Every structure is written in structure tokens, then in C-alpha cells.
Amino acid sequence: MLQVSHVTKKYGSFTAVDDLSFSATPGKIYGLIGPNGAGKSTTIRMIMNILSPDSGSIELDGKPFSAEDSNRIGYLPEERGLYKKQKLNEVLLYLAALKGCSSRVAQVQIDYWLSRFDILEWKDKKVDTLSKGMAQKAQFTATILHNPDIVFLDEPFSGLDPVSADDLLAIVRELKDKGKLILFSTHVMEQAEKICDHIIMLNGGKKILDGDLGEIRKRHGKNTVTVRFSSYDALPGIDLSCAEFLSSLPMVAAVSEDGLAYSVTLATGFDSDSLLVALAGKARIDSFAVNEPSLHSVFVDIVQGKGE
């Protein structure tokens, strides 16, 4: 388990990370999210002992992080760094050796991962001949060659086309299923929603949210439902429009209309089941969906003082 306790990092008068605490366990994907400048990369670099915190502590499995622990970590930095004038295979062998991986084992892993990423034929070419997307795949290969227990991914999808991004996402989920602890840093909150089990949201160096993604959505949901009727004449025997009928129900606080779809805000004390029961047998429903807030909307609400 990774435990970050009351960590602070300053650069002169600027506080990059302010009294940050969180814990992370294997077999989950943790999203360290927030806008640019929120303190995400600084936090990762302190965990990796690249930077030292001014105060607080960072422990791995109950012990202070040590130099020996570095081989247990795979790190994909936001600023990519492969030796451009060297052949890709040579660079990957060198980086694996720095992590204590033998050349024999490393070569097997290199061939496997480059094949997975469909760039095996490029392994004996110089790095500067690779496209941006290929270089990103090669950098990710370098991150996981030594079979690390902990994987830090800083903006891992930068430069990837949608198909390659999906391939990388599938591999990240494989690593999670194998019990790896994965910390995923991004300012693109839509990516975090697709990938992460747990969210740690930062703003201005401070933690403003920490919790399971599903629980966060429930806690910050605006209690709204989208109902789509099968036709405009969806209320047989009722002399009201769909919007008028919905507005007349005691569990409905507000209704907005978009064609055959209606966004319904539920009144305090009512849930979506009560609305569905009220509609049952009275309306021809095509779809009924409980709306979940996006991480972007949760972030905006918290920053504006509307959330926790």
C-alpha cells in the first residue's frame, strides 16, 4: 500500500502541494486529477523520490520510500524521454537494465510488448524515425518492461490516436487485474471517468475530493432522470402533454424538454424509483436513465462552493 501523509512542497513562496494525504492499494486505478498546475506531477515526483517534500511522509507497505523501492515502480512521465539517435531495442534494453532486469528477460519482454503495440518491426530503427504515437507506445513499453508493482502514468494518452488509446487502456486494465497499483495523472477528466476506480482531485495544490468514483457520482448527483417517450402521444387517456403530466407529479421539481426526451429534476425526498412507479402503466416509455454528474461538473461545483 502507498500512504501519502500531510505532504507539502513549496518553491519559494509558491506552494505546489499543500498538506496532501491519501492512500492507494494494489488492484485499483487511482486518478490523480485536476487542472494544469494543480500539483499532480509534483506529487508523483515526490512519491518517486525525484523531489523531496518539505514536510510530511510517504510510505510504501508501511516503510519510508527508499532507493531500493525504485525498481518496484514504473513511471511514464509527461515529458517523454527516449534517446533519439539510438536504436529503439538498445534504448529499451538499457532502461530495463537500470531497473535491474537482465538482458535475456528484457529482450523477451521487449519483443512481446512491441508486438502487442504493432511496432516490433521498428525495434532496430532509431528512435527519431518513430512517429509521435509510436514513440509513446515505446515509452510505455519502457515503463512496464521490468514488471513493476506500481505504475505511474502521467498523461499517458497524449499523442495517441483513438485506436491506440483504446489499446493502451486495455493494457492498463490488464495490469490492474494482475494486482498492480496504478496511479493515473491527467487534467482530462473525461479520461479519468473511463479509466479510474478511485479519484483524488486536486486544485491549487490542495486535495478537494478523495473517493470511489461511483460514490462520488452518487454524492454529487443532482437527482435528475432523463425520460424518453416512444411518441408525442405517449399518455393514452390523459389530457395533458408529457411535460405537463410530469410537472403534475409530486416527486417532480422541474422538467426541461428536448423533443421526446425530458430531463426531470426530482423533488427532495424522492428517488428515481418513485417516478418510474408513477409512470408505469400511464406512459409509453422508450428509455429511463438516472443521470450521473461528470467529474468536470463535480469539480466546478466544488470550486464554486456548491459541493463539498
Side-chain angles (χ1 to χ4, degrees):
M1 183 176 79
L2 173 67
Q3 183 71 49
V4 176
S5 302
H6 302 289
V7 165
T8 294
K9 181 65 179 179
K10 294 184 178 182
Y11 297 98
S13 61
F14 174 70
T15 302
V17 176
D18 190 357
D19 193 32
L20 176 62
S21 297
F22 68 87
S23 60
T25 56
K28 287 187 177 182
I29 302 175
Y30 291 80
L32 190 64
I33 69 173
N36 289 328
K40 305 182 299 296
S41 295
T42 298
T43 298
I44 289 178
R45 289 165 183 162
M46 285 191 292
I47 293 171
M48 294 191 60
N49 210 25
I50 295 172
L51 296 173
S52 298
D54 297 324
S55 61
S57 63
I58 298 171
E59 295 184 343
L60 190 58
D61 296 335
K63 300 177 181 179
F65 185 89
S66 66
E68 290 73 23
D69 291 321
S70 62
N71 288 350
R72 298 178 57 192
I73 294 176
Y75 177 39
L76 177 66
E78 183 177 5
E79 300 84 10
R80 314 308 182 210
L82 297 173
Y83 299 101
K84 295 183 178 181
K85 296 302 180 182
Q86 302 299 315
K87 292 180 179 179
L88 176 59
N89 196 72
E90 295 172 351
V91 171
L92 293 176
L93 283 173
Y94 170 70
L95 294 175
L98 292 179
K99 290 292 187 177
C101 188
S102 71
S103 59
R104 180 183 61 82
V105 171
Q107 190 62 66
V108 172
Q109 291 296 306
I110 289 169
D111 291 347
Y112 171 77
W113 288 111
L114 294 186
S115 180
R116 281 286 301 268
F117 284 124
D118 199 27
I119 55 172
L120 182 60
E121 63 188 274
W122 292 80
K123 78 173 185 177
D124 291 320
K125 299 183 183 296
K126 291 185 178 180
V127 170
D128 63 4
T129 65
L130 303 179
S131 69
K132 184 176 180 180
M134 289 177 182
Q136 174 70 332
K137 293 173 182 179
Q139 186 93 47
F140 185 82
T141 298
T143 302
I144 58 176
L145 272 180
H146 60 293
N147 192 28
D149 298 320
I150 302 172
V151 181
F152 291 157
L153 305 174
D154 199 350
E155 302 289 358
F157 299 105
S158 175
L160 294 180
D161 61 78
V163 173
S164 296
D166 285 346
D167 290 342
L168 180 57
L169 174 56
I171 290 171
V172 171
R173 286 174 172 157
E174 284 181 24
L175 295 173
K176 166 194 164 181
D177 292 341
K178 291 178 180 178
K180 309 297 183 184
L181 191 164
I182 300 171
L183 193 62
F184 170 75
S185 174
T186 184
H187 69 281
V188 183
M189 297 190 189
E190 293 81 5
Q191 290 182 352
E193 287 180 298
K194 291 172 58 178
I195 297 168
C196 300
D197 304 303
H198 191 103
I199 297 297
I200 302 158
M201 188 179 289
L202 305 180
N203 187 45
K206 292 180 176 291
K207 183 179 75 174
I208 61 173
L209 191 63
D210 185 353
D212 175 81
L213 180 57
E215 292 175 355
I216 288 171
R217 282 173 163 161
K218 289 180 182 178
R219 190 160 70 245
H220 292 270
K222 292 181 171 54
N223 208 22
T224 63
V225 175
T226 297
V227 183
R228 180 176 291 276
F229 295 108
S230 57
S231 69
Y232 287 102
D233 184 22
L235 302 168
I238 298 176
D239 191 22
L240 292 171
S241 69
C242 294
E244 290 171 336
F245 175 70
L246 287 168
S247 297
S248 72
L249 298 173
M251 71 286 300
V252 174
V255 178
S256 62
E257 181 179 354
D258 182 12
L260 293 174
Y262 297 81
S263 179
V264 179
T265 301
L266 299 173
T268 302
F270 291 94
D271 60 19
S272 58
D273 289 343
S274 64
L275 175 61
L276 186 58
V277 169
L279 293 175
K282 296 184 178 69
R284 301 187 183 101
I285 300 172
D286 188 50
S287 65
F288 184 95
V290 178
N291 299 329
E292 293 183 325
S294 68
L295 284 176
H296 176 82
S297 66
V298 170
F299 175 80
V300 170
D301 282 351
I302 292 175
V303 170
Q304 292 181 346
K306 300 175 184 177
E308 65 180 31

